[in-house]
Amino acid sequence: MDVVNQFIEFSEEEPIEKPKPSQNLYITSQVRHREKWIKLKDKYSILSTWIEKSSLNDYQKEAPINRIREKMVKEIEACEKFILYLEDAEDLLLKGIHFEFCQAMMLHKPIYIVYQNVKASEVIDSIQNYIRYPNIILVKSFKQLKSKILR
């Protein structure tokens, strides 16, 4: 069986489930994308508090890493959907987001992987160790995420 066929992938024409207005979202990405999530926070219930810091160093000044991870776990436990945002090839390294991604899988959260400016096959290559997780949904762009999932 082709690995790509193990994932649910939506095209622009297919309807995607609409979240309830109160639906809690946890979003993870590279810190350089945090402004996108800050702008969406007024419109959606985004639980990810890491976006409030301009760098990991700022976040770590607040508390030791184990307390930061405990906070992330609580936020992921409370979310209804987990969103992993990959904008380009540099993001495919998944640097710094493995902890959150693995927590979402352990908690059986639906995981939406938004890949923009990269190929689906490259995304699959970067997450090949997690390939058997049944709730991974690939979304082709940030625009599609906003228009079809985050309405």
Side-chain angles (χ1 to χ4, degrees):
M1 177 182 208
D2 186 359
V3 172
V4 177
N5 292 331
Q6 292 182 15
F7 290 92
I8 300 168
E9 187 171 1
F10 293 101
S11 70
E12 293 295 326
E13 299 80 43
E14 294 177 73
I16 297 177
E17 157 193 357
K18 292 182 190 176
K20 299 169 220 134
S22 63
Q23 194 168 56
N24 294 325
L25 306 171
Y26 187 92
I27 301 175
T28 190
S29 69
Q30 297 298 317
V31 175
R32 64 191 166 97
H33 303 304
R34 74 193 246 316
E35 290 298 323
K36 286 178 177 67
W37 316 131
I38 290 170
K39 288 176 186 172
L40 289 176
K41 206 164 182 173
D42 291 339
K43 195 172 181 181
Y44 305 103
S45 177
I46 297 174
L47 303 177
S48 313
T49 55
W50 68 265
I51 65 175
E52 297 161 5
K53 305 297 175 194
S54 60
S55 72
L56 182 58
N57 290 337
D58 288 348
Y59 205 47
Q60 289 175 332
K61 286 176 188 174
E62 257 185 37
I65 193 72
N66 61 332
R67 275 208 229 130
I68 292 168
R69 287 186 174 151
E70 287 171 10
K71 187 176 186 177
M72 287 176 170
V73 169
K74 287 178 183 173
E75 293 168 359
I76 295 167
E77 284 175 340
C79 82
E80 294 173 58
K81 292 186 178 183
F82 181 91
I83 298 166
L84 166 59
Y85 180 74
L86 307 170
E87 188 170 294
D88 53 35
E90 185 180 334
D91 292 347
L92 291 175
L93 299 173
L94 302 180
K95 194 174 177 184
I97 62 168
H98 281 287
F99 178 80
E100 295 155 293
F101 186 65
C102 290
Q103 286 298 314
M105 286 191 301
M106 287 173 39
L107 294 167
H108 307 287
K109 300 293 180 176
I111 297 175
Y112 293 84
I113 299 179
V114 180
Y115 61 103
Q116 189 161 300
N117 305 321
V118 291
K119 295 177 184 167
S121 60
E122 292 172 324
V123 173
I124 291 165
D125 285 347
S126 71
I127 62 166
Q128 61 186 329
N129 292 334
Y130 314 109
I131 210 89
R132 300 214 184 278
Y133 184 73
N135 293 341
I136 292 178
I137 301 159
L138 297 179
V139 182
K140 292 182 180 187
S141 69
F142 184 68
K143 179 181 174 185
Q144 187 181 54
L145 176 75
K146 284 173 61 177
S147 70
K148 296 195 176 179
I149 296 172
L150 301 180
R151 286 193 219 184

